[in-house]
Amino acid sequence: MTNTKMTDSVATDFSIWAKEKQDHIEIVLDEALPSQTTAPAILHEAMRYSLLGGGKRVRALLCYAAAELCATNTTITDAAACAVEMIHAYSLVHDDMPCMDNDDLRRGKPSCHKQYDDATALLVGDALQSLAFDLLSTPTLCENANQQISMLNILAKASGSLGMAGGQAIDLASIGKALTQSELETMHKLKTGALIQAAALLGASSGTAEKMSAVIVYAEHIGLAFQVVDDILDVEADTSTLGKTAGKDADSSKPTYVTILGLDHAKQLADQLYETAISALIPFGEDAKRLRELAGFILQRSF
Amino acid sequence: MTNTKMTDSVATDFSIWAKEKQDHIEIVLDEALPSQTTAPAILHEAMRYSLLGGGKRVRALLCYAAAELCATNTTITDAAACAVEMIHAYSLVHDDMPCMDNDDLRRGKPSCHKQYDDATALLVGDALQSLAFDLLSTPTLCENANQQISMLNILAKASGSLGMAGGQAIDLASIGKALTQSELETMHKLKTGALIQAAALLGASSGTAEKMSAVIVYAEHIGLAFQVVDDILDVEADTSTLGKTAGKDADSSKPTYVTILGLDHAKQLADQLYETAISALIPFGEDAKRLRELAGFILQRSF
C-alpha cells in the first residue's frame, strides 16, 4: 500500500477539506439530535454519546465527495451524510453488545452498553435508525420529492436484511468457519459495502445517470478496499491507535482477508481495488478530485 | 366496559370485515418479506417467524379503518399497514430480549430470542425496522410523492426517541417507581400511542385536513384506551388466552393503570377514553363506521 501515496501538497489540501467536512458534519449531527435534557434524557444523552465526537466520518466524507462530483446541494447532502452516519453509529452500538461482538471499547471510549447498560444500548441503536429516516424524510428537503423517496429507499435497502443487517448475520454465522475469499467478499459487500455504497450514492443523487453509475463502481470497490484495510489494521495497529480492541477479529476466529490471503496478498488486493475504484472516475477529471483523494485516504489510513 | 357493547349483528359484520383484513395483511406481509431460503436464510426465517402468523393486527386494522374514512387507495394502505406492523413486530422482538422485558412467550409461541438466539433477535428487529421504511419508500407508491414523504416522516417520528423507543426508555426507567397517572399517560402515549396514532394517520393520509384532525383525536384516545385495557387484561386474563405471560407487569413492579387507579376506575377510564374517541367521528357518519366499531372491539377484546 505504498504505490498510491499522495504527494504532500495533495495530502495537505485533502486534509484541510476533510477536516472542514468532519467539523461540519459534527455540528449538523449535533443539531439533528434531541438535546440531552429532552425527555427521555438518558436515552438522548446515550444517543449523543454514541453518535457525536468520534470516528473519521468516512461515510459522511464519501457523501460530500460524491456531492462535489454531482453538484448535489448542501442541505440535501448534509441530511444524507447525517442519516448514513446515524445508521452506521446504530450498527456499531448494536454490534458491540454482549450478544454480538461483546466489545468494551469503541472510538477510544467505553462502548454504549458499557457506559450505560444493554437495554439503553438496544434503544439507542433502534432510535438512531428511526432518526436517520426521520431526518431524510424531512418534508421539502428536496425540490424533487421523487429524488428524496429514491434516497430513502437506497438507505433502507442498504441497512436491511439484504444489506448491512444481513451482512452482520452472515458474519455471526461465519465465526470459526473457513470461508473462501468469495464468501468473505459477499459478507463484506453486505456488512460494510452496502452502507458505504449508499453514502456515495446519496451524495451523488443529483447527478447524471453516467455519474451515478461511475459512483456505484467506485463505491463498490472502495467499500471492499476499506474492509481489506480494516483487516490489515486489525493485525498491524495497536488498540490505542485503532480506538477499538485490536486483534479482536483474529482472536475470535473470524475469517479475515489477512487470514485467508496472508498479509502481503491482502495489501496487494487493497491496491487493486483502489485502482479499479479510481479508474471509474477518469471521465470526470477534477470534478472527481475529492472522491479520488478519499480513496487514497482510505487506503492509507492508520487510525 | 359493558355499556359500549356492540349489538350481535354489528359485531358479526365487523368480525367478517376484520377477519378479511387480517387475512389480507397476512398475505401482504408474507409477500413483503424475503423468502426463508433467501440468504441470509436464518435471518429471513427468523424475521418471518416474528412477523407472520400472529397477533390481532390491531394497528393494521386501524390503518384500514382510517383508509375507509378517507378513501385512501388499497396499495398505499397495504404498504402503510405492513410498515406499521413491521415496526410493531420489531419492537416486540427487542422488548422480549433478556436485557429488556426478558419474556419467553409471544403470541403463544417462544419469543424470537428463545426460538433462535439473542444476536438473531437483535438483527431481526433491526432489519424489520429497515424493511418498514424500505416498503414505504417504494418508488411510485403514491401518485403524490409529497404525501409519501409525509407518511415516511410520520412513521419515523412515531418510532423514534420522541415516540415508541422513547416510551420504552421511560418504561424501563419507571420499573419499581411510583408514577402518577399523568406520568404513566406520558409513557404510554409514546410507547404504544405514537405508533397506534401513526397507523391511523397513515391510513387517513389521503383524507381532508378535517378528517385527519378527527383521526388524530380518535387515535390518541383509542391508543390510551388500548393500553388501559392491556393493563386490565394483564390482571384478568390468563397466559394461554393472552398469548404472552400474564401478570408480567404486576410481577415486575411496573406501574399500570390498575395499580394506580384500581380495577374499577381503570375500567371507567377505558370507557371514557372510548367515548371521547368516537365523539370525534360524529361528523362523518357511516364513513367512520369501521373506526367506530374498531374502538368497540379494542375495548372489549379478551385475547
Side-chain angles (χ1 to χ4, degrees), chain B residues 86-118:
Chain B
M86 285 169 182
I87 294 287
H88 178 53
Y90 116 64
S91 79
L92 298 181
V93 170
H94 280 185
D95 289 1
D96 286 341
M97 287 180 68
C99 67
M100 300 282 279
D101 287 355
N102 193 22
D103 214 321
D104 292 353
L105 200 60
R106 172 63 63 183
R107 291 173 174 169
K109 304 187 296 186
S111 44
C112 183
H113 70 279
K114 292 300 286 183
Q115 183 72 12
Y116 297 91
D117 53 52
D118 291 2

PDB file of all heavy atoms in Angstrom, chain B residues 86-118:
ATOM      1  N   MET B  86     -44.627  -4.048  10.797  1.00  0.00           N
ATOM      2  CA  MET B  86     -43.194  -4.379  10.879  1.00  0.00           C
ATOM      3  C   MET B  86     -42.527  -3.647  12.041  1.00  0.00           C
ATOM      4  O   MET B  86     -41.727  -4.225  12.779  1.00  0.00           O
ATOM      5  CB  MET B  86     -42.481  -4.040   9.566  1.00  0.00           C
ATOM      6  CG  MET B  86     -42.773  -5.035   8.460  1.00  0.00           C
ATOM      7  SD  MET B  86     -42.187  -4.445   6.852  1.00  0.00           S
ATOM      8  CE  MET B  86     -42.746  -5.802   5.792  1.00  0.00           C
ATOM      9  N   ILE B  87     -42.837  -2.365  12.183  1.00  0.00           N
ATOM     10  CA  ILE B  87     -42.280  -1.600  13.304  1.00  0.00           C
ATOM     11  C   ILE B  87     -42.761  -2.201  14.630  1.00  0.00           C
ATOM     12  O   ILE B  87     -41.983  -2.385  15.576  1.00  0.00           O
ATOM     13  CB  ILE B  87     -42.686  -0.104  13.214  1.00  0.00           C
ATOM     14  CG1 ILE B  87     -42.061   0.568  11.990  1.00  0.00           C
ATOM     15  CG2 ILE B  87     -42.301   0.643  14.504  1.00  0.00           C
ATOM     16  CD1 ILE B  87     -40.584   0.848  12.073  1.00  0.00           C
ATOM     17  N   HIS B  88     -44.047  -2.535  14.687  1.00  0.00           N
ATOM     18  CA  HIS B  88     -44.587  -3.122  15.910  1.00  0.00           C
ATOM     19  C   HIS B  88     -43.897  -4.460  16.215  1.00  0.00           C
ATOM     20  O   HIS B  88     -43.473  -4.711  17.354  1.00  0.00           O
ATOM     21  CB  HIS B  88     -46.095  -3.316  15.742  1.00  0.00           C
ATOM     22  CG  HIS B  88     -46.758  -3.959  16.918  1.00  0.00           C
ATOM     23  ND1 HIS B  88     -46.629  -3.477  18.204  1.00  0.00           N
ATOM     24  CD2 HIS B  88     -47.542  -5.075  17.023  1.00  0.00           C
ATOM     25  CE1 HIS B  88     -47.302  -4.245  19.035  1.00  0.00           C
ATOM     26  NE2 HIS B  88     -47.862  -5.225  18.347  1.00  0.00           N
ATOM     27  N   ALA B  89     -43.768  -5.305  15.206  1.00  0.00           N
ATOM     28  CA  ALA B  89     -43.144  -6.624  15.420  1.00  0.00           C
ATOM     29  C   ALA B  89     -41.684  -6.466  15.861  1.00  0.00           C
ATOM     30  O   ALA B  89     -41.219  -7.188  16.757  1.00  0.00           O
ATOM     31  CB  ALA B  89     -43.222  -7.452  14.140  1.00  0.00           C
ATOM     32  N   TYR B  90     -40.963  -5.522  15.245  1.00  0.00           N
ATOM     33  CA  TYR B  90     -39.567  -5.317  15.664  1.00  0.00           C
ATOM     34  C   TYR B  90     -39.531  -4.912  17.132  1.00  0.00           C
ATOM     35  O   TYR B  90     -38.668  -5.384  17.897  1.00  0.00           O
ATOM     36  CB  TYR B  90     -38.853  -4.305  14.749  1.00  0.00           C
ATOM     37  CG  TYR B  90     -38.398  -3.031  15.424  1.00  0.00           C
ATOM     38  CD1 TYR B  90     -37.427  -3.065  16.437  1.00  0.00           C
ATOM     39  CD2 TYR B  90     -38.916  -1.788  15.072  1.00  0.00           C
ATOM     40  CE1 TYR B  90     -37.036  -1.893  17.078  1.00  0.00           C
ATOM     41  CE2 TYR B  90     -38.523  -0.631  15.692  1.00  0.00           C
ATOM     42  CZ  TYR B  90     -37.579  -0.687  16.709  1.00  0.00           C
ATOM     43  OH  TYR B  90     -37.196   0.460  17.350  1.00  0.00           O
ATOM     44  N   SER B  91     -40.461  -4.044  17.545  1.00  0.00           N
ATOM     45  CA  SER B  91     -40.423  -3.575  18.939  1.00  0.00           C
ATOM     46  C   SER B  91     -40.711  -4.732  19.902  1.00  0.00           C
ATOM     47  O   SER B  91     -40.110  -4.804  20.976  1.00  0.00           O
ATOM     48  CB  SER B  91     -41.404  -2.418  19.147  1.00  0.00           C
ATOM     49  OG  SER B  91     -42.731  -2.882  19.275  1.00  0.00           O
ATOM     50  N   LEU B  92     -41.590  -5.640  19.506  1.00  0.00           N
ATOM     51  CA  LEU B  92     -41.868  -6.795  20.368  1.00  0.00           C
ATOM     52  C   LEU B  92     -40.639  -7.694  20.491  1.00  0.00           C
ATOM     53  O   LEU B  92     -40.298  -8.165  21.583  1.00  0.00           O
ATOM     54  CB  LEU B  92     -43.042  -7.611  19.812  1.00  0.00           C
ATOM     55  CG  LEU B  92     -44.397  -6.883  19.719  1.00  0.00           C
ATOM     56  CD1 LEU B  92     -45.467  -7.825  19.181  1.00  0.00           C
ATOM     57  CD2 LEU B  92     -44.818  -6.318  21.074  1.00  0.00           C
ATOM     58  N   VAL B  93     -39.982  -7.928  19.362  1.00  0.00           N
ATOM     59  CA  VAL B  93     -38.784  -8.790  19.370  1.00  0.00           C
ATOM     60  C   VAL B  93     -37.715  -8.203  20.298  1.00  0.00           C
ATOM     61  O   VAL B  93     -37.144  -8.916  21.132  1.00  0.00           O
ATOM     62  CB  VAL B  93     -38.226  -8.970  17.935  1.00  0.00           C
ATOM     63  CG1 VAL B  93     -36.860  -9.653  17.962  1.00  0.00           C
ATOM     64  CG2 VAL B  93     -39.204  -9.774  17.082  1.00  0.00           C
ATOM     65  N   HIS B  94     -37.469  -6.917  20.171  1.00  0.00           N
ATOM     66  CA  HIS B  94     -36.452  -6.286  21.030  1.00  0.00           C
ATOM     67  C   HIS B  94     -36.933  -6.203  22.491  1.00  0.00           C
ATOM     68  O   HIS B  94     -36.148  -6.437  23.412  1.00  0.00           O
ATOM     69  CB  HIS B  94     -36.088  -4.896  20.490  1.00  0.00           C
ATOM     70  CG  HIS B  94     -35.114  -4.950  19.339  1.00  0.00           C
ATOM     71  ND1 HIS B  94     -34.563  -3.847  18.767  1.00  0.00           N
ATOM     72  CD2 HIS B  94     -34.595  -6.017  18.667  1.00  0.00           C
ATOM     73  CE1 HIS B  94     -33.742  -4.208  17.785  1.00  0.00           C
ATOM     74  NE2 HIS B  94     -33.762  -5.511  17.701  1.00  0.00           N
ATOM     75  N   ASP B  95     -38.205  -5.878  22.696  1.00  0.00           N
ATOM     76  CA  ASP B  95     -38.721  -5.775  24.073  1.00  0.00           C
ATOM     77  C   ASP B  95     -38.639  -7.104  24.824  1.00  0.00           C
ATOM     78  O   ASP B  95     -38.492  -7.114  26.049  1.00  0.00           O
ATOM     79  CB  ASP B  95     -40.196  -5.332  24.083  1.00  0.00           C
ATOM     80  CG  ASP B  95     -40.359  -3.877  23.689  1.00  0.00           C
ATOM     81  OD1 ASP B  95     -39.347  -3.228  23.400  1.00  0.00           O
ATOM     82  OD2 ASP B  95     -41.507  -3.400  23.668  1.00  0.00           O
ATOM     83  N   ASP B  96     -38.792  -8.187  24.099  1.00  0.00           N
ATOM     84  CA  ASP B  96     -38.780  -9.509  24.755  1.00  0.00           C
ATOM     85  C   ASP B  96     -37.373  -9.959  25.154  1.00  0.00           C
ATOM     86  O   ASP B  96     -37.238 -10.918  25.912  1.00  0.00           O
ATOM     87  CB  ASP B  96     -39.381 -10.570  23.815  1.00  0.00           C
ATOM     88  CG  ASP B  96     -40.899 -10.451  23.718  1.00  0.00           C
ATOM     89  OD1 ASP B  96     -41.497  -9.832  24.616  1.00  0.00           O
ATOM     90  OD2 ASP B  96     -41.480 -10.987  22.752  1.00  0.00           O
ATOM     91  N   MET B  97     -36.355  -9.297  24.637  1.00  0.00           N
ATOM     92  CA  MET B  97     -34.976  -9.764  24.871  1.00  0.00           C
ATOM     93  C   MET B  97     -34.602  -9.711  26.359  1.00  0.00           C
ATOM     94  O   MET B  97     -35.177  -8.944  27.124  1.00  0.00           O
ATOM     95  CB  MET B  97     -33.982  -8.952  24.021  1.00  0.00           C
ATOM     96  CG  MET B  97     -34.058  -9.316  22.544  1.00  0.00           C
ATOM     97  SD  MET B  97     -32.904  -8.360  21.527  1.00  0.00           S
ATOM     98  CE  MET B  97     -31.321  -9.023  22.091  1.00  0.00           C
ATOM     99  N   PRO B  98     -33.650 -10.552  26.753  1.00  0.00           N
ATOM    100  CA  PRO B  98     -33.275 -10.617  28.169  1.00  0.00           C
ATOM    101  C   PRO B  98     -32.908  -9.265  28.783  1.00  0.00           C
ATOM    102  O   PRO B  98     -33.229  -9.011  29.939  1.00  0.00           O
ATOM    103  CB  PRO B  98     -32.065 -11.556  28.161  1.00  0.00           C
ATOM    104  CG  PRO B  98     -32.288 -12.429  26.982  1.00  0.00           C
ATOM    105  CD  PRO B  98     -32.934 -11.553  25.946  1.00  0.00           C
ATOM    106  N   CYS B  99     -32.268  -8.388  28.010  1.00  0.00           N
ATOM    107  CA  CYS B  99     -31.863  -7.105  28.596  1.00  0.00           C
ATOM    108  C   CYS B  99     -33.040  -6.144  28.737  1.00  0.00           C
ATOM    109  O   CYS B  99     -32.902  -5.083  29.355  1.00  0.00           O
ATOM    110  CB  CYS B  99     -30.728  -6.466  27.795  1.00  0.00           C
ATOM    111  SG  CYS B  99     -31.195  -5.947  26.135  1.00  0.00           S
ATOM    112  N   MET B 100     -34.192  -6.499  28.179  1.00  0.00           N
ATOM    113  CA  MET B 100     -35.389  -5.646  28.310  1.00  0.00           C
ATOM    114  C   MET B 100     -36.393  -6.382  29.211  1.00  0.00           C
ATOM    115  O   MET B 100     -36.140  -6.565  30.382  1.00  0.00           O
ATOM    116  CB  MET B 100     -35.978  -5.359  26.926  1.00  0.00           C
ATOM    117  CG  MET B 100     -35.015  -4.650  25.986  1.00  0.00           C
ATOM    118  SD  MET B 100     -34.859  -2.871  26.308  1.00  0.00           S
ATOM    119  CE  MET B 100     -36.325  -2.291  25.465  1.00  0.00           C
ATOM    120  N   ASP B 101     -37.513  -6.825  28.658  1.00  0.00           N
ATOM    121  CA  ASP B 101     -38.541  -7.454  29.496  1.00  0.00           C
ATOM    122  C   ASP B 101     -38.250  -8.925  29.803  1.00  0.00           C
ATOM    123  O   ASP B 101     -38.900  -9.526  30.656  1.00  0.00           O
ATOM    124  CB  ASP B 101     -39.915  -7.352  28.814  1.00  0.00           C
ATOM    125  CG  ASP B 101     -40.459  -5.930  28.863  1.00  0.00           C
ATOM    126  OD1 ASP B 101     -39.811  -5.081  29.508  1.00  0.00           O
ATOM    127  OD2 ASP B 101     -41.515  -5.675  28.277  1.00  0.00           O
ATOM    128  N   ASN B 102     -37.337  -9.516  29.061  1.00  0.00           N
ATOM    129  CA  ASN B 102     -36.969 -10.928  29.258  1.00  0.00           C
ATOM    130  C   ASN B 102     -38.197 -11.830  29.269  1.00  0.00           C
ATOM    131  O   ASN B 102     -38.467 -12.535  30.238  1.00  0.00           O
ATOM    132  CB  ASN B 102     -36.175 -11.076  30.564  1.00  0.00           C
ATOM    133  CG  ASN B 102     -35.499 -12.443  30.649  1.00  0.00           C
ATOM    134  OD1 ASN B 102     -35.271 -13.096  29.616  1.00  0.00           O
ATOM    135  ND2 ASN B 102     -35.204 -12.894  31.852  1.00  0.00           N
ATOM    136  N   ASP B 103     -38.932 -11.794  28.187  1.00  0.00           N
ATOM    137  CA  ASP B 103     -40.167 -12.582  28.098  1.00  0.00           C
ATOM    138  C   ASP B 103     -39.963 -13.744  27.129  1.00  0.00           C
ATOM    139  O   ASP B 103     -39.506 -13.553  26.013  1.00  0.00           O
ATOM    140  CB  ASP B 103     -41.317 -11.667  27.625  1.00  0.00           C
ATOM    141  CG  ASP B 103     -42.631 -12.076  28.248  1.00  0.00           C
ATOM    142  OD1 ASP B 103     -42.853 -13.302  28.372  1.00  0.00           O
ATOM    143  OD2 ASP B 103     -43.411 -11.205  28.621  1.00  0.00           O
ATOM    144  N   ASP B 104     -40.328 -14.934  27.592  1.00  0.00           N
ATOM    145  CA  ASP B 104     -40.082 -16.142  26.789  1.00  0.00           C
ATOM    146  C   ASP B 104     -41.194 -16.450  25.800  1.00  0.00           C
ATOM    147  O   ASP B 104     -41.020 -17.300  24.916  1.00  0.00           O
ATOM    148  CB  ASP B 104     -39.941 -17.370  27.710  1.00  0.00           C
ATOM    149  CG  ASP B 104     -38.677 -17.293  28.554  1.00  0.00           C
ATOM    150  OD1 ASP B 104     -37.876 -16.371  28.313  1.00  0.00           O
ATOM    151  OD2 ASP B 104     -38.510 -18.152  29.435  1.00  0.00           O
ATOM    152  N   LEU B 105     -42.331 -15.777  25.970  1.00  0.00           N
ATOM    153  CA  LEU B 105     -43.512 -16.155  25.210  1.00  0.00           C
ATOM    154  C   LEU B 105     -44.081 -14.935  24.494  1.00  0.00           C
ATOM    155  O   LEU B 105     -44.182 -13.851  25.067  1.00  0.00           O
ATOM    156  CB  LEU B 105     -44.552 -16.701  26.198  1.00  0.00           C
ATOM    157  CG  LEU B 105     -45.681 -17.582  25.667  1.00  0.00           C
ATOM    158  CD1 LEU B 105     -45.132 -18.840  24.987  1.00  0.00           C
ATOM    159  CD2 LEU B 105     -46.607 -17.975  26.841  1.00  0.00           C
ATOM    160  N   ARG B 106     -44.446 -15.121  23.241  1.00  0.00           N
ATOM    161  CA  ARG B 106     -45.018 -14.005  22.469  1.00  0.00           C
ATOM    162  C   ARG B 106     -46.007 -14.592  21.466  1.00  0.00           C
ATOM    163  O   ARG B 106     -45.649 -15.484  20.707  1.00  0.00           O
ATOM    164  CB  ARG B 106     -43.888 -13.253  21.765  1.00  0.00           C
ATOM    165  CG  ARG B 106     -44.317 -12.196  20.785  1.00  0.00           C
ATOM    166  CD  ARG B 106     -45.082 -11.069  21.423  1.00  0.00           C
ATOM    167  NE  ARG B 106     -44.301 -10.305  22.395  1.00  0.00           N
ATOM    168  CZ  ARG B 106     -44.827  -9.297  23.114  1.00  0.00           C
ATOM    169  NH1 ARG B 106     -46.108  -8.956  22.976  1.00  0.00           N
ATOM    170  NH2 ARG B 106     -44.070  -8.664  24.000  1.00  0.00           N
ATOM    171  N   ARG B 107     -47.202 -14.086  21.495  1.00  0.00           N
ATOM    172  CA  ARG B 107     -48.246 -14.575  20.596  1.00  0.00           C
ATOM    173  C   ARG B 107     -48.355 -16.099  20.669  1.00  0.00           C
ATOM    174  O   ARG B 107     -48.491 -16.788  19.645  1.00  0.00           O
ATOM    175  CB  ARG B 107     -47.969 -14.136  19.149  1.00  0.00           C
ATOM    176  CG  ARG B 107     -48.127 -12.626  18.940  1.00  0.00           C
ATOM    177  CD  ARG B 107     -47.676 -12.184  17.555  1.00  0.00           C
ATOM    178  NE  ARG B 107     -47.979 -10.756  17.324  1.00  0.00           N
ATOM    179  CZ  ARG B 107     -47.507 -10.056  16.291  1.00  0.00           C
ATOM    180  NH1 ARG B 107     -46.733 -10.625  15.401  1.00  0.00           N
ATOM    181  NH2 ARG B 107     -47.830  -8.793  16.151  1.00  0.00           N
ATOM    182  N   GLY B 108     -48.244 -16.634  21.876  1.00  0.00           N
ATOM    183  CA  GLY B 108     -48.424 -18.068  22.087  1.00  0.00           C
ATOM    184  C   GLY B 108     -47.265 -18.943  21.641  1.00  0.00           C
ATOM    185  O   GLY B 108     -47.357 -20.170  21.661  1.00  0.00           O
ATOM    186  N   LYS B 109     -46.178 -18.318  21.204  1.00  0.00           N
ATOM    187  CA  LYS B 109     -45.000 -19.082  20.737  1.00  0.00           C
ATOM    188  C   LYS B 109     -43.772 -18.596  21.511  1.00  0.00           C
ATOM    189  O   LYS B 109     -43.788 -17.518  22.096  1.00  0.00           O
ATOM    190  CB  LYS B 109     -44.732 -18.817  19.250  1.00  0.00           C
ATOM    191  CG  LYS B 109     -45.874 -19.089  18.310  1.00  0.00           C
ATOM    192  CD  LYS B 109     -45.432 -18.949  16.836  1.00  0.00           C
ATOM    193  CE  LYS B 109     -45.001 -17.538  16.453  1.00  0.00           C
ATOM    194  NZ  LYS B 109     -44.722 -17.376  15.014  1.00  0.00           N
ATOM    195  N   PRO B 110     -42.699 -19.402  21.488  1.00  0.00           N
ATOM    196  CA  PRO B 110     -41.447 -18.878  22.079  1.00  0.00           C
ATOM    197  C   PRO B 110     -41.082 -17.558  21.409  1.00  0.00           C
ATOM    198  O   PRO B 110     -41.224 -17.425  20.187  1.00  0.00           O
ATOM    199  CB  PRO B 110     -40.410 -19.959  21.729  1.00  0.00           C
ATOM    200  CG  PRO B 110     -41.201 -21.189  21.469  1.00  0.00           C
ATOM    201  CD  PRO B 110     -42.521 -20.739  20.901  1.00  0.00           C
ATOM    202  N   SER B 111     -40.666 -16.583  22.198  1.00  0.00           N
ATOM    203  CA  SER B 111     -40.278 -15.306  21.605  1.00  0.00           C
ATOM    204  C   SER B 111     -39.019 -15.506  20.750  1.00  0.00           C
ATOM    205  O   SER B 111     -38.339 -16.528  20.855  1.00  0.00           O
ATOM    206  CB  SER B 111     -40.084 -14.254  22.689  1.00  0.00           C
ATOM    207  OG  SER B 111     -39.361 -14.793  23.766  1.00  0.00           O
ATOM    208  N   CYS B 112     -38.719 -14.540  19.906  1.00  0.00           N
ATOM    209  CA  CYS B 112     -37.678 -14.724  18.875  1.00  0.00           C
ATOM    210  C   CYS B 112     -36.338 -15.159  19.462  1.00  0.00           C
ATOM    211  O   CYS B 112     -35.699 -16.082  18.960  1.00  0.00           O
ATOM    212  CB  CYS B 112     -37.539 -13.431  18.058  1.00  0.00           C
ATOM    213  SG  CYS B 112     -36.355 -13.554  16.715  1.00  0.00           S
ATOM    214  N   HIS B 113     -35.916 -14.508  20.540  1.00  0.00           N
ATOM    215  CA  HIS B 113     -34.589 -14.859  21.088  1.00  0.00           C
ATOM    216  C   HIS B 113     -34.594 -16.246  21.739  1.00  0.00           C
ATOM    217  O   HIS B 113     -33.530 -16.845  21.902  1.00  0.00           O
ATOM    218  CB  HIS B 113     -34.114 -13.796  22.091  1.00  0.00           C
ATOM    219  CG  HIS B 113     -34.886 -13.782  23.368  1.00  0.00           C
ATOM    220  ND1 HIS B 113     -36.102 -13.159  23.498  1.00  0.00           N
ATOM    221  CD2 HIS B 113     -34.637 -14.352  24.572  1.00  0.00           C
ATOM    222  CE1 HIS B 113     -36.559 -13.322  24.725  1.00  0.00           C
ATOM    223  NE2 HIS B 113     -35.692 -14.039  25.395  1.00  0.00           N
ATOM    224  N   LYS B 114     -35.763 -16.746  22.123  1.00  0.00           N
ATOM    225  CA  LYS B 114     -35.839 -18.115  22.663  1.00  0.00           C
ATOM    226  C   LYS B 114     -35.812 -19.128  21.523  1.00  0.00           C
ATOM    227  O   LYS B 114     -35.196 -20.186  21.629  1.00  0.00           O
ATOM    228  CB  LYS B 114     -37.126 -18.317  23.490  1.00  0.00           C
ATOM    229  CG  LYS B 114     -37.195 -17.546  24.786  1.00  0.00           C
ATOM    230  CD  LYS B 114     -36.066 -17.893  25.749  1.00  0.00           C
ATOM    231  CE  LYS B 114     -36.237 -19.252  26.401  1.00  0.00           C
ATOM    232  NZ  LYS B 114     -35.153 -19.497  27.389  1.00  0.00           N
ATOM    233  N   GLN B 115     -36.508 -18.805  20.459  1.00  0.00           N
ATOM    234  CA  GLN B 115     -36.566 -19.721  19.311  1.00  0.00           C
ATOM    235  C   GLN B 115     -35.223 -19.747  18.575  1.00  0.00           C
ATOM    236  O   GLN B 115     -34.799 -20.792  18.097  1.00  0.00           O
ATOM    237  CB  GLN B 115     -37.681 -19.253  18.363  1.00  0.00           C
ATOM    238  CG  GLN B 115     -37.914 -20.132  17.149  1.00  0.00           C
ATOM    239  CD  GLN B 115     -38.585 -21.451  17.511  1.00  0.00           C
ATOM    240  OE1 GLN B 115     -39.070 -21.643  18.619  1.00  0.00           O
ATOM    241  NE2 GLN B 115     -38.585 -22.381  16.576  1.00  0.00           N
ATOM    242  N   TYR B 116     -34.573 -18.597  18.488  1.00  0.00           N
ATOM    243  CA  TYR B 116     -33.272 -18.501  17.816  1.00  0.00           C
ATOM    244  C   TYR B 116     -32.225 -18.171  18.889  1.00  0.00           C
ATOM    245  O   TYR B 116     -31.947 -19.001  19.742  1.00  0.00           O
ATOM    246  CB  TYR B 116     -33.339 -17.474  16.679  1.00  0.00           C
ATOM    247  CG  TYR B 116     -34.324 -17.904  15.615  1.00  0.00           C
ATOM    248  CD1 TYR B 116     -35.666 -17.511  15.678  1.00  0.00           C
ATOM    249  CD2 TYR B 116     -33.954 -18.754  14.582  1.00  0.00           C
ATOM    250  CE1 TYR B 116     -36.589 -17.939  14.734  1.00  0.00           C
ATOM    251  CE2 TYR B 116     -34.866 -19.188  13.632  1.00  0.00           C
ATOM    252  CZ  TYR B 116     -36.178 -18.775  13.719  1.00  0.00           C
ATOM    253  OH  TYR B 116     -37.086 -19.200  12.778  1.00  0.00           O
ATOM    254  N   ASP B 117     -31.691 -16.988  18.874  1.00  0.00           N
ATOM    255  CA  ASP B 117     -30.763 -16.577  19.932  1.00  0.00           C
ATOM    256  C   ASP B 117     -30.787 -15.053  20.013  1.00  0.00           C
ATOM    257  O   ASP B 117     -31.419 -14.393  19.177  1.00  0.00           O
ATOM    258  CB  ASP B 117     -29.342 -17.102  19.675  1.00  0.00           C
ATOM    259  CG  ASP B 117     -28.850 -16.732  18.287  1.00  0.00           C
ATOM    260  OD1 ASP B 117     -28.904 -15.534  17.932  1.00  0.00           O
ATOM    261  OD2 ASP B 117     -28.410 -17.620  17.535  1.00  0.00           O
ATOM    262  N   ASP B 118     -30.102 -14.503  20.996  1.00  0.00           N
ATOM    263  CA  ASP B 118     -30.178 -13.060  21.228  1.00  0.00           C
ATOM    264  C   ASP B 118     -29.667 -12.256  20.036  1.00  0.00           C
ATOM    265  O   ASP B 118     -30.251 -11.240  19.654  1.00  0.00           O
ATOM    266  CB  ASP B 118     -29.369 -12.677  22.475  1.00  0.00           C
ATOM    267  CG  ASP B 118     -30.001 -13.203  23.752  1.00  0.00           C
ATOM    268  OD1 ASP B 118     -31.045 -13.889  23.669  1.00  0.00           O
ATOM    269  OD2 ASP B 118     -29.444 -12.939  24.828  1.00  0.00           O
TER     270      ASP B 118
END
